[in-house]
Amino acid sequence: LYALVGLPGGNVVISRSNFHGNQGDGLRLISNGGGKTTTLSNVWSEDNEGFTVDISSKGPVIWTNGSSARSHMGTNIRNNDTATYTPHPVTISNVDFYETWDNNGLTIYSYGNVSLTSVGAWQNAGIGVFIDNCGLAHGGRHWLEMTQDGGPDAVSFAFVSIIRGGDDVWTMGMHV
């Protein structure tokens, strides 16, 4: 299933669904819903050539009960809205991520809270579960301010804390 939801509108709900044996991705969802929720409930995606599940959302993402297995690319969830830097949560419970041949089992990029409950990850070529919820995710807006002035501090974002004061943005830590 490839779903492109481009207009700000309602929530996306996918339930009691299976995505198996596809030449490309099992499920790819691009939602520009502006804070609307993407919900997967009892969703299984296995034996696909691309991503088992690939979600780009500008709102909360919830996945309850299911699996992502035996694919080349695993599962990707991005709800880090770079236009507004609004934090939206990712909540996953009772979902297993296993046997990804060329990538992580589960990769999450989020500005909001990430909650994993009863999640399993095993036999993946990369990391079982990779979560980017720090550094650039929380300080991205401030990091962009540093890149706009052309100063050298912008390259240090991966190694330091980004601090925002009343009148200035700076980094603290190891600089490169």
Side-chain angles (χ1 to χ4, degrees), residues 2 10 26 33 36 46 50-51 81 87 90 97 109 141 143 149 152 156 162 165 172:
Y2 178 79
K36 301 299 181 181
E46 300 176 353
F51 286 99
D81 183 355
V90 174
F97 303 89
Y109 297 98
R141 167 177 58 239
W143 176 73
D149 72 4
S156 67
I162 299 171
M172 177 183 280

Side-chain angles (χ1 to χ4, degrees), residues 65-97:
N65 300 325
S67 69
S68 165
R70 296 182 303 278
S71 71
H72 285 280
M73 299 306 292
T75 292
N76 235 1
I77 297 175
R78 292 176 304 283
N79 74 342
N80 52 345
D81 183 355
T82 56
T84 64
Y85 297 98
T86 303
H88 297 293
V90 174
T91 304
I92 301 175
S93 60
N94 299 315
V95 181
D96 292 325
F97 303 89

Side-chain angles (χ1 to χ4, degrees), residues 17-34:
S17 299
N18 296 292
F19 306 99
H20 294 282
N22 296 289
Q23 294 297 314
D25 298 335
L27 168 63
R28 176 173 286 179
L29 171 66
I30 302 170
S31 176
N32 191 20

Side-chain angles (χ1 to χ4, degrees), residues 1 14 19 25-29 40 43 45 51-55:
L1 173 66
I14 300 172
F19 306 99
D25 298 335
L27 168 63
R28 176 173 286 179
L29 171 66
L40 280 65
V43 171
S45 185
F51 286 99
T52 49
V53 175
D54 188 16
I55 297 173

Side-chain angles (χ1 to χ4, degrees), residues 102-159:
D102 298 323
N103 204 356
N104 303 329
L106 169 63
T107 301
I108 298 173
Y109 297 98
S110 180
Y111 296 126
N113 295 329
V114 175
S115 174
L116 304 179
T117 305
S118 297
V119 168
W122 63 90
Q123 295 180 338
N124 296 292
I127 298 167
V129 176
F130 174 82
I131 301 171
D132 183 347
N133 179 257
C134 62
L136 187 56
H138 287 293
R141 167 177 58 239
H142 309 309
W143 176 73
L144 289 173
E145 289 176 23
M146 288 189 292
T147 63
Q148 292 169 353
D149 72 4
D153 285 339
V155 299
S156 67
F157 76 93
F159 303 101

